[in-house]
Amino acid sequence: RDINRQKFDEEELHRLLEDPNTQQYKVFTRVIELIKKRTQEKAFNPQGPPEEVIDLNDAVDIRMFKAIDGSERIITMVNVSNVPQIMQIDIRSLGMESQIVRDIISEGEYLASEEGILTFELKPYQTVWLKEKQARTRDSGTGPSRSCL
């Protein structure tokens, strides 16, 4: 929070952003990483349909983003509290068919139940961008791979 309250002169700011040991460098590089990840996702296209707000938990902001062509959906969740939240969400009801979703931010994977219920803990102030993991095909182009979580 302090990072956006301080006034910098241009020279000082350049120095801080070039020094990997400063908080400003760490925040700046992380924001740039997130912007790069976000721009690679079709569901985050600003020309796409407006995001849908999903009201499941007062402590977690949940939104569904969809690609213009409907080929991709991303569920974003932000725990806005200082308390861990146990999340249970029916991903099939949101149009996701795979049991496996990937967090674009951490690159971790989550496995939903056979019924499509995804259960996991969202840490205080944690953000996840969940995207359905597409089945990979073998070199021959047929069938899913047998990769495990």
Side-chain angles (χ1 to χ4, degrees):
R1 183 174 177 138
D2 293 340
I3 201 165
N4 67 351
R5 304 281 188 247
Q6 187 175 353
K7 302 267 187 214
F8 298 99
D9 67 54
E10 186 176 352
E11 198 173 293
E12 177 187 16
L13 183 59
H14 282 286
R15 183 185 57 75
L16 291 169
L17 293 178
E18 291 170 356
D19 181 354
N21 297 314
T22 65
Q23 179 186 12
Q24 290 81 2
Y25 173 89
K26 291 172 186 171
V27 170
F28 179 73
T29 55
R30 185 66 179 138
V31 167
I32 295 300
E33 287 173 18
L34 290 173
I35 290 170
K36 286 179 182 177
K37 286 182 179 195
R38 189 175 170 106
T39 60
Q40 293 172 359
E41 302 299 333
K42 293 194 303 183
F44 286 138
N45 184 330
Q47 302 303 316
E51 71 265 22
E52 176 184 337
V53 176
I54 301 168
D55 189 14
L56 294 178
N57 181 325
D58 289 340
V60 180
D61 181 72
I62 306 171
R63 296 171 189 256
M64 167 75 81
F65 292 82
K66 298 175 188 172
I68 293 172
D69 63 5
S71 64
E72 180 178 282
R73 296 168 188 262
I74 295 174
I75 302 168
T76 64
M77 297 183 188
V78 181
N79 182 353
V80 295
S81 77
N82 62 353
V83 177
Q85 300 294 317
I86 302 300
M87 301 304 302
Q88 271 196 322
I89 188 163
D90 181 351
I91 61 174
R92 289 206 182 130
S93 72
L94 298 174
M96 294 185 165
E97 297 174 8
S98 174
Q99 275 186 265
I100 303 171
V101 293
R102 182 177 64 86
D103 177 17
I104 297 166
I105 295 173
S106 72
E107 299 181 5
E109 293 182 351
Y110 299 92
L111 179 64
S113 69
E114 288 185 19
E115 297 79 27
I117 306 299
L118 180 64
T119 304
F120 67 99
E121 181 180 281
L122 199 57
K123 295 177 181 148
Y125 307 109
Q126 182 182 4
T127 298
V128 293
W129 297 343
L130 302 177
K131 179 180 177 179
E132 183 173 24
K133 184 170 180 178
Q134 301 299 317
R136 293 183 182 157
T137 57
R138 295 185 188 110
D139 291 341
S140 64
T142 61
S145 70
R146 295 185 186 197
S147 61
C148 299
L149 293 178

